[in-house]
Amino acid sequence: MAGFAAIDVKKLRDATGAGMMDAKKALTEADGDFDKAIELLRVAGQAKAAKRGAERSATNGLVVFADGALIQLGAETDFVAKNAEFQALADEVVKAAAAAKANSVDEANAAALESGKTVAEAVSELAATIGEKLEVANAAYFDGQTAVYLHRRSSDLPPQVGVVVQYEGEDSSIARTTAMQVAAMRPQYLSADEVPAELLDNERRIAEASAKEEGKPERAVPRIVEGRVNAFLKDVCLLNQPSVTDNKTPVQSLLDNAGVKVTRFVRFEAAA
């Protein structure tokens, strides 16, 4: 090998995670210049990652929380979710997001790591090394009192469902129970007041059409429609849901009895 030896190829592979032939090709193109070879591999890897990004989705991965920030770092497979480098990057990302008070994916991607790189740059570099599409899939920041629940689907996987509930009150136990409720029951809104009017109108139209199609008496239709809309609200609104600890009691009642008011929540989930 002109300009470099087999040990140089191994050194480049160890430094970048590239395959043997890719490392050899990069050193050849760089005339044995190690730093230039690294740059060539990064460029090639990022180009491949960009191409993959148009074709694949990073719906797997993990969720992580620190200092008010909840981050979902996406990958294509749970194999990468178990990867130590991927998990270490997630820890760096969530700390940077917390420091930047990042409340969106764009804000999280722009946050600076201790290395000086942005989150987006570091994620892109690791994607090139690992060979999968990686991305910050979701980001949220909370500056109030919170209860956090991170759920592992398996002991050999990192948390893949993450919930943060912001609340007022003294009972941290009921707040954590509420976070577990969000994890299990997947509410989309805090209360009925947050449900878009057009969504409710659509549910009413569907309920009315269904009731008539079923041949229900005309005079009974309004009552049936309201009953079905209320059932819809129980599904999608946290405060309307029956509690997972007492299915005869709405979450709102349990919170009221505990003197707790939930003001906001988010739920992030990586695909199984």
Side-chain angles (χ1 to χ4, degrees), residues 101-259:
K101 299 184 177 180
N103 202 34
S104 69
V105 169
D106 286 345
E107 291 176 1
N109 276 326
L113 303 177
E114 289 186 3
S115 65
K117 298 173 186 174
T118 66
V119 166
E121 289 169 343
V123 171
S124 178
E125 287 183 11
L126 186 59
T129 298
I130 287 179
E132 277 198 11
K133 179 181 179 181
L134 308 179
E135 65 182 5
V136 176
N138 281 302
Y141 179 75
F142 292 77
D143 57 6
Q145 182 176 233
T146 58
V148 181
Y149 177 65
L150 302 179
H151 177 71
R152 294 175 184 264
R153 296 194 179 99
S154 173
S155 60
D156 65 337
L157 286 170
Q160 293 190 299
V161 179
V163 175
V164 182
V165 170
Q166 186 165 311
Y167 69 99
E168 300 169 359
E170 302 297 327
D171 195 332
S172 60
S173 176
I174 196 67
R176 177 169 169 76
T177 297
T178 303
M180 294 174 71
Q181 169 96 22
V182 173
M185 301 306 293
R186 297 179 171 86
Q188 300 172 43
Y189 306 96
L190 176 59
S191 67
D193 293 339
E194 292 185 359
V195 180
E198 59 270 23
L199 181 57
L200 280 178
D201 289 343
N202 190 55
E203 285 299 316
R204 286 194 174 92
R205 282 194 295 270
I206 293 171
E208 182 176 359
S210 298
K212 290 179 179 179
E213 183 70 22
E214 292 163 8
K216 303 296 184 185
E218 188 68 29
R219 66 180 180 278
V221 169
R223 175 175 52 80
I224 293 170
V225 168
E226 288 311 303
R228 292 180 179 178
V229 169
N230 286 334
F232 168 74
L233 292 175
K234 283 184 179 180
D235 283 339
V236 301
C237 299
L238 172 62
L239 300 182
N240 294 66
Q241 287 183 343
S243 170
V244 291
T245 60
D246 178 1
N247 61 18
K248 295 181 180 179
T249 306
V251 170
Q252 177 74 78
S253 297
L254 290 182
L255 291 169
D256 289 344
N257 292 339

